[in-house]
Amino acid sequence: MSDSTNETIATVGLGTGGPEVGVQGLGCMGMSWAYGPTHDEAEARATLERALELGVTLFDTADVYGFGRNEEFISPFVRANRDRITLATKFAIERDESDPYGRQRIRNDRPYIRQAVEGSLRRLGVDQIDLYYMHRRNPEVPLEESVGAMAELVAEGKVKHLGLSEVTANELRAAHAVHPIAAVQSEWSLFSRDIEESVVGAARELGVALVPYSPLGRGFLTGSFVQAEQELGEDDFRRLQPRFTGDNAAANAALLEPLRKIAEARGATLAQIALAWVQQQAQVHGVAVVPIPGTRTRARIEQNTGATRIELTADELAALEPIAGKVAGTRYADMSATSVGRE
């Protein structure tokens, strides 16, 4: 298995003027929300520590993950290592805790942003957030108002850098004109490549880093499950995503064959090859790329960071190239809140 767990990962600047971070971050959402319960919290906390040992310094959460509980969960780790990590959290999504994966309300208005940042600072137990994202875009609120309010937080010292998630190329340009944007977080993987149409080019043009979420296709690219409805718990968000259910899931599972062949030939895991592909998009597109795969175990964080040292050949990249175009089903049942839904 290709992991080299004793080696720390390389670093990269998170956008022009942004902080220097490890070339792979850690998405913390699954430790508290969306992928079923965390049965071993001690192991999850040990995973945070192991990630830092391996050079992972960008830790990503959001106020909506577990309705604040994810921010509270990582708070002790954040405070104990405050000068060594880059802390990212997000605002904008309101949900009903009685229906956690049901209808969402997107808030980008100034009063809400000010309320949200205070809540996150309190739950995280810090006085400044390193990277504050607008989690989703409400097109009814002018970007000038939203990003202007976020810029006020920078001026007040509550936030260091600004980020956006699931925005279009034009929205990124408009926001960047109001205040420099350090990073754009969007789904990007072998299964999800829509941001390559225009967002990646805009990010390169503006000196903005890309932070791919779900770089492992929410675990599907690891081969750990096929039929979400049959294999995952009732409180698992993936049961609601079209590409992981029914005929779509069966068709998509067949697309993993080239990934599996490359992994076997290299003595690597499917996850490592899928992550190596995402990491290598930095070279392909000439832009900083810092994926944030999520995990709850030290063994997985060691595998994931090992992927940063795998360089795929031209032939391997060519074998993986057609996959995204054949994927059945959309990323979400409702794509209206994604960048591609507004392109």
Side-chain angles (χ1 to χ4, degrees), residues 26 28 31 45 48-49 52 57-61 70-89 120-130:
L26 178 63
C28 300
M31 293 180 175
R45 294 191 186 282
L48 294 169
E49 299 287 352
L52 187 56
T57 57
L58 177 63
F59 291 83
D60 183 274
T61 183
N70 193 241
E71 290 178 326
E72 292 170 348
F73 180 81
I74 70 169
S75 173
F77 168 76
V78 168
R79 288 183 285 112
N81 299 283
R82 192 66 195 95
D83 59 341
R84 301 174 62 197
I85 70 172
T86 296
L87 170 65
T89 192
S120 287
L121 289 168
R122 183 180 66 254
R123 287 186 293 270
L124 289 161
V126 299
D127 56 13
Q128 188 178 56
I129 293 162
D130 298 314

Side-chain angles (χ1 to χ4, degrees), residues 223-272:
S224 61
F225 75 96
V226 175
Q227 290 286 352
E229 298 149 304
Q230 298 171 16
E231 299 173 54
L232 303 179
E234 290 187 6
D235 56 352
D236 196 303
F237 171 65
R238 291 169 289 187
R239 291 165 60 101
L240 304 175
Q241 295 185 289
R243 57 180 50 170
F244 304 140
T245 56
D247 292 341
N248 287 348
N252 291 337
L255 300 179
L256 300 183
E257 194 53 34
L259 187 66
R260 190 169 281 109
K261 285 182 178 177
I262 294 169
E264 288 175 358
R266 283 181 169 265
T269 65
L270 272 69
Q272 287 179 316

Side-chain angles (χ1 to χ4, degrees), residues 222 224 269 294-305:
T222 70
S224 61
T269 65
T295 183
R296 302 165 178 168
T297 69
R298 285 169 286 183
R300 293 273 192 236
I301 203 75
E302 291 167 358
Q303 286 183 27
N304 290 351
T305 54

Side-chain angles (χ1 to χ4, degrees), residues 46-198:
T47 300
L48 294 169
E49 299 287 352
R50 183 65 176 134
L52 187 56
E53 289 174 359
L54 291 167
V56 172
T57 57
L58 177 63
F59 291 83
D60 183 274
T61 183
D63 58 3
V64 74
Y65 298 162
F67 301 90
R69 287 187 287 276
N70 193 241
E71 290 178 326
E72 292 170 348
F73 180 81
I74 70 169
S75 173
F77 168 76
V78 168
R79 288 183 285 112
N81 299 283
R82 192 66 195 95
D83 59 341
R84 301 174 62 197
I85 70 172
T86 296
L87 170 65
T89 192
K90 316 178 195 73
F91 73 89
I93 300 177
E94 280 190 327
R95 291 184 181 273
D96 183 345
E97 192 158 2
S98 66
D99 184 18
Y101 308 134
R103 186 175 179 275
Q104 64 181 25
R105 185 182 180 197
I106 299 174
R107 297 282 302 274
N108 290 173
D109 55 283
R110 176 178 269 103
Y112 180 78
I113 292 171
R114 299 199 70 86
Q115 170 191 325
V117 76
E118 295 299 340
S120 287
L121 289 168
R122 183 180 66 254
R123 287 186 293 270
L124 289 161
V126 299
D127 56 13
Q128 188 178 56
I129 293 162
D130 298 314
L131 178 60
Y132 200 41
Y133 286 103
M134 185 170 74
H135 204 163
R136 291 292 185 271
R137 165 96 173 104
N138 181 344
E140 295 180 6
V141 180
L143 265 172
E144 292 72 18
E145 176 182 341
S146 306
V147 181
M150 296 168 73
E152 290 171 6
L153 302 179
V154 175
E156 294 167 15
K158 294 177 180 178
V159 169
K160 277 189 184 177
H161 304 283
L162 302 185
L164 303 170
S165 181
E166 290 286 357
V167 292
T168 67
N170 287 339
E171 288 167 346
L172 173 56
R173 290 189 180 97
H176 197 75
V178 176
H179 187 281
I181 302 299
V184 167
Q185 185 175 136
S186 287
E187 187 164 353
W188 198 5
S189 72
L190 282 168
F191 264 29
S192 303
R193 297 180 59 180
D194 47 76
I195 68 164
E196 294 174 32
E197 291 292 325
S198 59

